[in-house]
């Protein structure tokens, strides 16, 4: 039996172009992703809530994906919390 699961799936829109940093240990890419939840309340009024997520990609993923990630793009992210 597993001790636990640490898995996150996010699907949303980039809030800004990816920020890419080159360090001595390799590339680092910083992202801001907005996920929006929409629903109707008990009175039938439309409601909306946006959550902002800050993420960091390291290594090959940062080098390959970072330059192509632009503000407004829809993005699917799967990973773990650290």
């Amino acid at each position: 039996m597993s001790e636990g699961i640490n898995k996150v799936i996010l699907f949303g829109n980039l809030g800004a172009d990816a920020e890419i940093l080159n360090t001595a240990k390799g590339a680092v890419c910083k992202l801001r992703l907005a996920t929006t939840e929409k629903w109707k309340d008990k009175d039938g009024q439309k409601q909306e809530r946006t959550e902002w997520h800050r993420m960091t990609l390291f290594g090959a993923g940062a080098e390959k994906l970072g330059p192509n990630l632009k503000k407004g793009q829809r993005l699917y992210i799967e990973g773990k919390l650290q």
Side-chain angles (χ1 to χ4, degrees), residues 41-60:
D41 65 16
K42 63 181 179 180
D43 299 323
Q45 299 294 317
K46 291 182 181 179
Q47 301 292 320
E48 181 176 305
R49 177 176 41 238
T50 301
E51 301 282 341
W52 286 93
H53 311 273
R54 293 177 186 255
M55 292 168 282
T56 305
L57 305 176
F58 298 97

Side-chain angles (χ1 to χ4, degrees), residues 3-65:
E3 292 293 321
I5 297 173
N6 184 355
K7 185 173 184 177
V8 176
I9 298 173
L10 296 170
F11 184 67
N13 295 311
L14 287 174
D17 291 355
E19 179 184 347
I20 304 161
L21 308 167
N22 291 307
T23 68
K25 294 184 178 182
V28 176
C29 178
K30 295 185 178 188
L31 306 173
R32 293 184 310 166
L33 187 74
T35 56
T36 303
E37 178 182 10
K38 297 179 181 182
W39 73 95
K40 287 186 181 179
D41 65 16
K42 63 181 179 180
D43 299 323
Q45 299 294 317
K46 291 182 181 179
Q47 301 292 320
E48 181 176 305
R49 177 176 41 238
T50 301
E51 301 282 341
W52 286 93
H53 311 273
R54 293 177 186 255
M55 292 168 282
T56 305
L57 305 176
F58 298 97
E63 290 176 17
K64 292 178 184 176
L65 296 175

